[in-house]
Structure formats: C-alpha cells, structure tokens
C-alpha cells in the first residue's frame, strides 16, 4: 500500500470534517478513506472506524434526518440504509446494502443483503434510480497490489492475501468486486524454451475447447474453474476458494483422523474421480496436495483441483517435468511401455492416498528415485502391523485391489465405490450427503440423501491378494 498523492485538481466540497493531526501520538487511528459529501447540508466524513453505518436510526455513524436531508426523499432512507466495512484481515473495503429502497454505486443498484467492493471515486446514491447523490468515496491509500493481476482480471477482482505456493505457481485470495465473493487465483508461470522463448498454450482453438470443458464441469467435489486468462508470461485461473487448506496438511496435522473420518473424505474424492472419468478426463496428478478442504471440521467437504491442467500446457512445460509427484505415480507411467495410459492411473494414485490417510506413511518410499521406481513397478509395500493393527481388513483389502501393478487387473473407479468398505457404509454416505448439502454446493444431483438410499450394486468379486 502506498500513500496517494494530492488530488487537488478535483472540485471537492468544503464541508470536510477537520482532520486531527498528529493522530498516532494520541492513539487515534489514521483515516483510511473519506466520504466527500455531494449535498450541501451533509458533512464529508473521514473513515477511521472499520464499520460505518448510514441511516435514520440514532445509533448510525452517519444519521440522516430532516436537518440534513430533503424531506421529500427521507422516506427512501431505511433505519440502517447501508454499512461500509473494512476487513483488515482480507484488506477488503465493501458496502453492504441493508435498505428497502436500495443503495446505488455509480448508478447501479447494489440490492438489499448484497455486498459490493468499494473503489476509489465510487459515487454512492439513494432514492429513485439513485437520483440522490450522497458521497464520493475516496481511498486515502492507493491499492497497488492489484497491479499484480492481469488487466482483464483487475477490472473484476481485488487481490487479497497470499494463500500458498505450489510446484507450478502461486495462489492468491481474490474477491469479485461486484459480489465480494472469495476466489483463489492460481498463476502458473509459462515454461521457457532453451532458446529463451516462452512457451505458449497449444493452439488457441484447441485450448478454448478444453477450457470450455473444464469450465462446464460441475460436481460438488470438483473445484469449479470460473475463468482462465493467458498473458505473455503466465496462465491465471480463477478457482472456487477453499478455506480448509489441503489434505496433506490435514493428514500431517496432530489432530487424529479415525478410519471413519478417512472414509468420509475418501468417499468424496472417489466420487469426484468417477465424475471426471465419466466426463472423459483423467486427473493424472492425484495427490493430497491437489485435494482441498472446505473448512477445519474433521468431516468436511473435499474437492479435487488441478485436473486436466497438463492438457493446457505444452508437452515439455514446467507442469510435466516438475509437477509429477513420484510417490503417487502409477507403474505404467514409470514403465513407459504403455503408449497411452488410461483412467486406471488415477485408481493407483487413490490407493496410495488411502494408504497415506490411514497410516500417515507412504506405501512406496525411498530417497533414491531408481529404488522408488523399482518398488512401484513391482508393487512392493507392506502393512506395518504396528501402524495397521487398528485398521479394518476391508480397508486393507480395498488398498490391495487398487495397488495392483497391472492396470487391467486393477479395480476400476466404479468398483472402488462398490467395494464393501464404502458401499456397505450407508450411514457414512448419508453423512457425506448432509455435509455437502450444508456447504451449499450443487449436490442434489450427486447425493441422494433420501431415507431409501441404497448402496451401489456390487459389480465385482473381491480379490484376495497377498502382499
Ligand atoms: P497448489 O499450487 O495447487 O499446490 O497450491 C498452493 C497452495 O495454495 C496450497 O497450499 C493450497 O492450500 C492453496 N490453494 C490452492 N488452490 C486453492 C483454492 N482453490 N482455495 C484455497 N487455497 C488454495
């Protein structure tokens, strides 16, 4: 944040409340914004508080009454008409319309209960079609941070705090200006050829088709992509925001996860993968870092992210070379003998994830890549009895069926859902349906929470494998 220069060229009313200087010595907060009055009898107001209300009620910060407002339009003003809020945590300043007859920003109605981010020079008005101008809002600190957004996104979003850094780029919290809705913006740097030229996305038509598919995906356990913008150096995606961090942090946190908790999360992940496969998409990079949680509750909504991304970028981009996480990769990918790998690669990764969730250990681990590859290619892992003694034999059986080296022998995603560890636990399925519905996602289609919920039909015989 940088202090703004003088804006002396503007014609401003002289009814400004005197500023108190020097504020810091007296423990008085410095004003962060100012409402310049557009009405003769109204005073301009310095904004120092984090919540400012305007209305007819005596308790409002700015009280509208017959002494300062035309009587003919007083009836348009509610007891609390609007609130201006400054959220220090997100660095967001917005107006919440609380009125019956409407608050207008630059002539556009906000609407009762709605919120709009306030920007420098916004005109606030009330009355019929906003005919009565009240204030011009001025920020006293210029927000420089949004310059980090590409111009197409800067118009629509306000940049907020840094959320995290992945192998492929940085993620920031952003807010949509017209709604104050939170989103995550993921910025992926494009790779650079050895010649120094920057990779571009594949042929634009092809990309736009892919983007259309990704944007059209709709499942309560799949992160929704709102938009994607390409600049010369980056690809920026606006994604649904998840407040609970990623699955890796949850698994490694000191809070214990019971087998029931694991099942509740894993069931959702499996449904999401089944959905992607039904839409013709293989994730290819399933790992706990790509699974996000809605909140800190033990049982919460989980969503998959980063699916299909590898399709966007050139074959040799950073995505392909750096992002592959060896511990989760299926043997047929390492092997290289399969010219085309199928949906089954995702089932393998899910098997590794389930193993990790239940034991906090990875089934295949070695600091040496060659050794790790060999373990994966031969499917060598063990259930350490000290760690696994408290885990059900059904859970272990499911893992065994998922970690079968031959993809043709490995169970399919539908068979994972039909496995007795999941299919027989109808109460867990009810709980998940409830959690997803409470979260407000579009869940009706995927989760039937009716009393008659039946487990999916068993489509396969469990295999007795020994490892
Ligand atoms: P990634 O590049 O996907 O590995 O993400 C890096 C960090 O950003 C991770 O720590 C995630 O927790 C966070 N992150 C990624 N996507 C989102 C999202 N949609 N909502 C909230 N946080 C996210």
């Amino acid at each position: 944040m940088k202090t703004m220069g003088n804006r002396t060229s503007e014609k401003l009313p002289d009814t400004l409340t005197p500023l108190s200087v020097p504020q810091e010595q007296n423990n008085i907060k410095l004003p962060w914004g100012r409402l310049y009055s557009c009405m003769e009898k109204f005073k301009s107001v310095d904004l120092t508080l984090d919540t400012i209300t305007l209305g007819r009620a005596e308790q409002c910060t700015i009280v509208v009454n017959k002494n300062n407002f035309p009587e003919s339009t007083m009836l348009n003003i509610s007891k609390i008409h609007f609130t201006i809020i400054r959220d220090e945590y997100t660095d967001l300043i917005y107006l919440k319309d609380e009125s019956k007859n409407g608050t207008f920003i630059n002539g556009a109605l906000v609407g009762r209960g709605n919120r709009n981010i306030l920007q420098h020079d916004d005109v606030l008005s009330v009355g019929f079609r906003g005919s009565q101008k009240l204030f011009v809002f001025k920020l006293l600190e210029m927000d420089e941070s949004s310059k980090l957004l590409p111009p197409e996104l800067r118009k629509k979003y306000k940049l907020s705090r840094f959320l995290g850094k992945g192998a492929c780029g940085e993620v920031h919290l952003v807010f949509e200006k017209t709604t104050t809705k939170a989103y995550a913006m993921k910025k992926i740097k494009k790779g650079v050829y050895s010649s120094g030229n920057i990779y571009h996305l594949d042929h634009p038509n092809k990309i736009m088709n892919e983007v259309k598919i990704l944007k059209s995906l709709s499942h309560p356990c799949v992160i929704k992509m709102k938009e994607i913008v390409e600049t010369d150096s980056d690809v920026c995606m606006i994604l649904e925001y998840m407040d609970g961090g990623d699955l890796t942090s949850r698994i490694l946190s000191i809070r214990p996860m019971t087998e029931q908790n694991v099942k509740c999360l894993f069931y959702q992940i499996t449904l999401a993968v089944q959905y992607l496969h039904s839409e013709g998409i293989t994730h290819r990079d399933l790992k706990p870092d790509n699974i996000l949680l809605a909140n800190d509750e033990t049982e919460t909504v989980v969503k998959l992210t980063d699916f299909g991304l590898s399709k966007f970028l050139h074959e040799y981009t950073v995505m392909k070379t750096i992002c592959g996480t060896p511990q989760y990769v299926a043997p047929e990918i390492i092997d290289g003998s399969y010219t085309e790998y199928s949906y089954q690669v995702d089932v393998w990764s899910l098997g590794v994830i389930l193993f990790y969730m239940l034991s906090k250990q990875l089934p295949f681990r070695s600091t040496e890549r060659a050794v790790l590859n060999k373990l994966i290619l031969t499917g060598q892992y063990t259930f350490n009895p000290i760690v696994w003694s408290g885990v059900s034999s059904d859970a272990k059986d499911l893992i065994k069926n998922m970690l079968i080296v031959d993809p043709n022998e490995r169970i399919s995603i539908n068979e994972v859902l039909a496995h007795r560890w999941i299919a027989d636990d109808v109460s867990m399925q009810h709980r998940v349906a409830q959690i997803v519905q409470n979260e407000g996602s579009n869940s009706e289609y995927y989760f039937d929470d009716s009393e008659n919920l039946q487990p999916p039909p068993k489509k396969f015989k469990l295999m007795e494998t020994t490892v």
Side-chain angles (χ1 to χ4, degrees), residues 327-373:
Q327 287 87 348
Y328 297 90
V329 168
E332 59 268 33
I333 295 179
I334 300 173
D335 187 354
S337 61
Y338 287 81
T339 46
E340 218 172 82
Y341 34 82
S342 68
Y343 298 136
Q344 290 299 84
V345 298
D346 286 344
V347 175
W348 175 277
S349 305
L350 281 181
V352 178
I353 292 170
L354 181 56
F355 189 107
Y356 190 35
M357 288 171 87
L358 288 167
S359 65
K360 297 196 184 207
Q361 287 178 352
L362 285 160
F364 309 103
R365 31 181 210 279
S366 169
T367 46
E368 277 183 55
R369 185 67 186 256
V371 178
L372 177 67
N373 284 355

Side-chain angles (χ1 to χ4, degrees), residues 21 80-81 94 96 112 189 218 237 244 252 255 351 355 369 388 406 411 445 448:
V21 245
I80 296 177
H81 201 88
Y94 60 90
K96 182 167 184 225
R112 191 173 202 174
K189 274 245 165 294
S218 174
M237 282 165 284
L252 297 177
R255 282 164 57 199
F355 189 107
R369 185 67 186 256
W388 287 86
D406 182 348
I411 61 173
Y445 179 65
D448 177 6

Side-chain angles (χ1 to χ4, degrees), residues 150-407:
E152 298 99 305
L153 296 178
R154 207 179 303 156
K155 279 185 235 151
K156 291 198 227 165
Y157 301 94
K158 160 112 174 64
L159 192 77
S160 183
R161 68 192 160 84
F162 175 75
L163 289 174
K165 196 175 162 75
C168 318
E170 293 190 347
V171 184
H172 278 87
L173 177 65
V174 295
F175 289 92
E176 191 176 39
K177 288 182 177 172
T178 52
T179 58
T180 71
K181 198 167 173 218
Y183 291 94
M185 185 197 67
K186 183 172 228 170
K187 203 174 190 181
I188 299 176
K189 274 245 165 294
K190 289 185 189 173
V192 180
Y193 288 109
S194 49
S195 64
N197 291 336
I198 295 172
Y199 289 131
H200 284 269
L201 296 178
D202 286 334
H203 190 272
N205 288 341
K206 196 176 150 201
I207 283 300
M208 285 332 287
N209 279 338
E210 294 292 348
V211 169
K212 261 192 203 158
I213 293 170
L214 286 193
K215 280 168 73 178
S216 72
L217 291 178
S218 174
H219 187 280
C221 299
V222 167
I223 288 280
K224 186 105 184 112
M225 183 194 289
K226 191 161 182 278
E227 51 190 305
I228 180 164
V229 165
E230 184 188 6
T231 68
D232 284 347
S233 55
D234 307 286
V235 178
C236 294
M237 282 165 284
I238 300 290
L239 305 166
E240 190 179 346
Y241 170 66
M242 297 291 275
D243 203 21
D246 61 36
L247 185 60
T248 308
S249 317
R250 175 61 60 91
I251 294 170
L252 297 177
S253 80
I254 47 164
R255 282 164 57 199
M257 270 214 281
T258 64
E259 186 174 328
Q260 273 303 311
N261 301 151
V262 168
K263 202 192 292 191
C264 163
L265 303 183
F266 185 77
Y267 173 54
Q268 296 178 62
I269 302 164
T270 309
L271 284 173
V273 174
Q274 185 197 38
Y275 171 75
L276 290 184
H277 289 183
S278 74
E279 294 290 316
I281 295 170
T282 315
H283 192 297
R284 297 183 203 200
D285 195 20
L286 277 172
K287 54 186 173 183
D289 302 22
N290 285 337
I291 298 163
L292 302 172
L293 293 91
N295 57 49
D296 282 341
E297 301 290 317
T298 328
E299 295 194 344
T300 180
V301 172
V302 290
K303 300 196 190 216
L304 288 189
T305 185
D306 277 1
F307 41 86
L309 277 187
S310 48
K311 281 189 173 179
F312 280 114
L313 303 169
H314 191 279
E315 210 181 330
Y316 301 104
T317 56
V318 195
M319 283 290 292
K320 191 91 177 176
T321 49
I322 302 175
C323 294
T325 313
Q327 287 87 348
Y328 297 90
V329 168
E332 59 268 33
I333 295 179
I334 300 173
D335 187 354
S337 61
Y338 287 81
T339 46
E340 218 172 82
Y341 34 82
S342 68
Y343 298 136
Q344 290 299 84
V345 298
D346 286 344
V347 175
W348 175 277
S349 305
L350 281 181
V352 178
I353 292 170
L354 181 56
F355 189 107
Y356 190 35
M357 288 171 87
L358 288 167
S359 65
K360 297 196 184 207
Q361 287 178 352
L362 285 160
F364 309 103
R365 31 181 210 279
S366 169
T367 46
E368 277 183 55
R369 185 67 186 256
V371 178
L372 177 67
N373 284 355
K374 198 167 168 221
L375 292 173
I376 294 172
L377 284 168
T378 51
Q380 278 182 65
Y381 67 96
T382 47
F383 293 111
N384 178 346
I386 301 168
V387 182
W388 287 86
S389 59
V391 178
S392 72
S393 55
D394 280 352
K396 283 186 256 187
D397 185 81
L398 176 57
I399 292 172
K400 286 177 197 169
N401 279 284
M402 296 172 90
L403 295 183
I404 291 176
V405 173
D406 182 348

Side-chain angles (χ1 to χ4, degrees), residues 54 69 71 104 109 133 151 174 211 224 233 245 272 463:
L54 177 141
F69 210 78
E71 236 175 318
F104 298 75
L109 175 71
K133 286 185 183 161
V174 295
V211 169
K224 186 105 184 112
S233 55
M463 299 167 69

